[in-house]
Amino acid sequence: MNKEIDFESRLKLIFGFSSQEEFSAKFSTDIACLEWLSQHKWENGFVCRKCGNTNFCDGSEPFSRRCTRCKRTESATAHTAFHRCKIPLSVAFKLLYQTVEESGDSIRIVAKKNELRNMTCWRLIHKFQSCMHENDCRKLFGKTE
């Protein structure tokens, strides 16, 4: 059953708050975005995707985790909607906000507002929309369960 929920409810569901001011304050830097993303990605604990080990240490990148058994490092953005994102994470989060908001602006207008290429915006927005299909926001943050 596909149930439509309003913008504020979706924001609250994804981020825990519903105002644009709170969003802008919380996600103003890439480090803040990485920290939030890592907390939500691994809120039920880290499990290495290669060997299944649950023990880890800090990786070489901010908020990454390194498996203590196989030594594989996983970044906070890996296996999320932000995987291999070529723009600053704070800008990508802003695009996610605009996607959830569903302002009705064309990709061209959104790209111009954010000073990005049209194709960059299209790819990210398409990825975000695919992850939120059927209101399943868990895929945005790499959760499959």
Side-chain angles (χ1 to χ4, degrees), residues 9-49:
S9 298
R10 276 191 276 175
L11 269 184
K12 195 150 186 83
L13 176 70
I14 296 171
F15 298 108
F17 47 81
S18 58
S19 78
Q20 185 172 4
E21 294 78 25
E22 284 179 290
F23 183 89
S24 296
K26 178 79 174 171
F27 301 115
S28 61
T29 66
D30 290 352
I31 292 296
C33 295
L34 273 175
E35 180 179 19
W36 189 88
L37 192 55
S38 71
Q39 287 171 354
H40 284 78
K41 179 179 178 177
W42 292 306
E43 69 184 349
N44 295 325
F46 171 82
V47 177
C48 179
R49 291 180 184 262

